mmCIF file of all heavy atoms in Angstrom:
data_model
loop_
_atom_site.group_PDB
_atom_site.id
_atom_site.type_symbol
_atom_site.label_atom_id
_atom_site.label_comp_id
_atom_site.label_asym_id
_atom_site.label_seq_id
_atom_site.Cartn_x
_atom_site.Cartn_y
_atom_site.Cartn_z
ATOM 1 N N GLY N 121 -12.984 24.606 19.001
ATOM 2 C CA GLY N 121 -13.387 25.953 18.807
ATOM 3 C C GLY N 121 -13.259 26.844 19.996
ATOM 4 O O GLY N 121 -13.631 28.080 20.042
ATOM 5 N N SER N 122 -12.951 26.328 21.254
ATOM 6 C CA SER N 122 -13.008 27.100 22.481
ATOM 7 C C SER N 122 -11.701 27.920 22.629
ATOM 8 O O SER N 122 -11.588 28.699 23.468
ATOM 9 C CB SER N 122 -13.177 26.197 23.638
ATOM 10 O OG SER N 122 -11.972 25.354 23.852
ATOM 11 N N GLY N 123 -10.550 27.521 21.917
ATOM 12 C CA GLY N 123 -9.309 28.101 22.123
ATOM 13 C C GLY N 123 -8.533 27.585 23.294
ATOM 14 O O GLY N 123 -7.495 27.930 23.668
ATOM 15 N N THR N 124 -9.168 26.569 24.102
ATOM 16 C CA THR N 124 -8.624 25.995 25.207
ATOM 17 C C THR N 124 -7.789 24.761 24.922
ATOM 18 O O THR N 124 -8.470 23.831 24.334
ATOM 19 C CB THR N 124 -9.730 25.640 26.252
ATOM 20 O OG1 THR N 124 -10.401 26.769 26.603
ATOM 21 C CG2 THR N 124 -8.980 25.099 27.604
ATOM 22 N N LEU N 125 -6.508 24.794 25.084
ATOM 23 C CA LEU N 125 -5.787 23.460 24.841
ATOM 24 C C LEU N 125 -5.753 22.775 26.138
ATOM 25 O O LEU N 125 -5.400 23.149 27.333
ATOM 26 C CB LEU N 125 -4.400 23.867 24.413
ATOM 27 C CG LEU N 125 -4.191 24.718 23.145
ATOM 28 C CD1 LEU N 125 -2.832 24.967 22.759
ATOM 29 C CD2 LEU N 125 -4.953 23.786 21.852
ATOM 30 N N ARG N 126 -5.924 21.351 25.920
ATOM 31 C CA ARG N 126 -5.914 20.405 26.967
ATOM 32 C C ARG N 126 -5.092 19.270 26.683
ATOM 33 O O ARG N 126 -4.891 18.936 25.518
ATOM 34 C CB ARG N 126 -7.339 19.960 27.369
ATOM 35 C CG ARG N 126 -8.098 21.130 28.002
ATOM 36 C CD ARG N 126 -9.502 20.706 28.317
ATOM 37 N NE ARG N 126 -9.593 19.408 29.215
ATOM 38 C CZ ARG N 126 -10.693 18.708 29.435
ATOM 39 N NH1 ARG N 126 -11.742 19.033 28.921
ATOM 40 N NH2 ARG N 126 -10.506 17.720 30.240
ATOM 41 N N GLU N 127 -4.505 18.668 27.644
ATOM 42 C CA GLU N 127 -3.680 17.371 27.473
ATOM 43 C C GLU N 127 -4.491 16.220 27.757
ATOM 44 O O GLU N 127 -5.212 16.199 28.702
ATOM 45 C CB GLU N 127 -2.457 17.403 28.328
ATOM 46 C CG GLU N 127 -1.261 18.320 27.754
ATOM 47 C CD GLU N 127 -0.014 17.947 28.197
ATOM 48 O OE1 GLU N 127 0.183 16.858 29.007
ATOM 49 O OE2 GLU N 127 1.009 18.474 27.765
ATOM 50 N N PHE N 128 -4.367 15.245 26.942
ATOM 51 C CA PHE N 128 -5.133 13.971 27.105
ATOM 52 C C PHE N 128 -4.085 12.804 26.953
ATOM 53 O O PHE N 128 -3.095 12.932 26.274
ATOM 54 C CB PHE N 128 -6.076 13.715 26.003
ATOM 55 C CG PHE N 128 -7.271 14.723 26.136
ATOM 56 C CD1 PHE N 128 -7.295 15.866 25.327
ATOM 57 C CD2 PHE N 128 -8.339 14.627 26.907
ATOM 58 C CE1 PHE N 128 -8.244 16.871 25.431
ATOM 59 C CE2 PHE N 128 -9.286 15.507 27.054
ATOM 60 C CZ PHE N 128 -9.290 16.752 26.329
ATOM 61 N N PRO N 129 -4.308 11.680 27.574
ATOM 62 C CA PRO N 129 -3.528 10.501 27.431
ATOM 63 C C PRO N 129 -3.501 9.968 26.037
ATOM 64 O O PRO N 129 -4.614 9.900 25.479
ATOM 65 C CB PRO N 129 -3.930 9.526 28.582
ATOM 66 C CG PRO N 129 -5.337 9.795 28.733
ATOM 67 C CD PRO N 129 -5.467 11.316 28.596
ATOM 68 N N GLU N 130 -2.492 9.396 25.556
ATOM 69 C CA GLU N 130 -2.611 8.722 24.241
ATOM 70 C C GLU N 130 -3.353 7.466 24.355
ATOM 71 O O GLU N 130 -4.224 7.221 23.479
ATOM 72 C CB GLU N 130 -1.176 8.196 23.803
ATOM 73 C CG GLU N 130 -0.081 9.337 23.521
ATOM 74 C CD GLU N 130 0.019 9.793 22.142
ATOM 75 O OE1 GLU N 130 -0.571 9.009 21.363
ATOM 76 O OE2 GLU N 130 0.817 10.617 21.943
ATOM 77 N N VAL N 131 -3.357 6.807 25.412
ATOM 78 C CA VAL N 131 -4.200 5.660 25.744
ATOM 79 C C VAL N 131 -4.719 5.925 27.154
ATOM 80 O O VAL N 131 -3.806 6.301 28.056
ATOM 81 C CB VAL N 131 -3.613 4.273 25.558
ATOM 82 C CG1 VAL N 131 -3.269 3.890 24.016
ATOM 83 C CG2 VAL N 131 -2.370 4.039 26.346
ATOM 84 N N ASP N 132 -6.014 5.581 27.397
ATOM 85 C CA ASP N 132 -6.458 5.809 28.908
ATOM 86 C C ASP N 132 -6.492 4.524 29.725
ATOM 87 O O ASP N 132 -6.660 4.606 30.850
ATOM 88 C CB ASP N 132 -7.754 6.661 28.884
ATOM 89 C CG ASP N 132 -8.892 6.134 28.104
ATOM 90 O OD1 ASP N 132 -8.857 4.811 27.843
ATOM 91 O OD2 ASP N 132 -9.742 6.854 27.694
ATOM 92 N N ARG N 133 -6.337 3.424 28.944
ATOM 93 C CA ARG N 133 -6.150 2.179 29.606
ATOM 94 C C ARG N 133 -5.575 1.041 28.750
ATOM 95 O O ARG N 133 -5.687 1.240 27.399
ATOM 96 C CB ARG N 133 -7.436 1.632 30.349
ATOM 97 C CG ARG N 133 -8.611 1.606 29.445
ATOM 98 C CD ARG N 133 -9.970 1.471 30.290
ATOM 99 N NE ARG N 133 -10.979 1.111 29.515
ATOM 100 C CZ ARG N 133 -11.858 1.985 28.959
ATOM 101 N NH1 ARG N 133 -11.552 3.275 29.029
ATOM 102 N NH2 ARG N 133 -12.852 1.596 28.124
ATOM 103 N N VAL N 134 -4.966 0.063 29.301
ATOM 104 C CA VAL N 134 -4.386 -0.939 28.519
ATOM 105 C C VAL N 134 -4.760 -2.232 29.116
ATOM 106 O O VAL N 134 -4.803 -2.374 30.304
ATOM 107 C CB VAL N 134 -2.836 -0.818 28.461
ATOM 108 C CG1 VAL N 134 -2.111 -1.942 27.843
ATOM 109 C CG2 VAL N 134 -2.446 0.469 27.907
ATOM 110 N N ALA N 135 -5.101 -3.208 28.177
ATOM 111 C CA ALA N 135 -5.572 -4.529 28.692
ATOM 112 C C ALA N 135 -5.223 -5.709 27.850
ATOM 113 O O ALA N 135 -5.135 -5.463 26.553
ATOM 114 C CB ALA N 135 -7.040 -4.631 28.962
ATOM 115 N N TRP N 136 -5.083 -6.897 28.341
ATOM 116 C CA TRP N 136 -4.972 -8.074 27.491
ATOM 117 C C TRP N 136 -6.432 -8.600 27.180
ATOM 118 O O TRP N 136 -7.218 -8.642 28.042
ATOM 119 C CB TRP N 136 -4.191 -9.042 28.341
ATOM 120 C CG TRP N 136 -2.832 -8.847 28.461
ATOM 121 C CD1 TRP N 136 -2.162 -8.229 29.476
ATOM 122 C CD2 TRP N 136 -1.762 -9.035 27.500
ATOM 123 N NE1 TRP N 136 -0.737 -8.182 29.351
ATOM 124 C CE2 TRP N 136 -0.537 -8.571 28.144
ATOM 125 C CE3 TRP N 136 -1.733 -9.666 26.221
ATOM 126 C CZ2 TRP N 136 0.687 -8.774 27.418
ATOM 127 C CZ3 TRP N 136 -0.512 -9.843 25.522
ATOM 128 C CH2 TRP N 136 0.681 -9.373 26.060
#
Side-chain angles (χ1 to χ4, degrees):
S122 68
T124 302
L125 295 179
R126 294 181 50 195
E127 281 204 358
F128 295 95
E130 296 263 358
V131 294
D132 55 25
R133 55 194 187 275
V134 175
W136 287 99

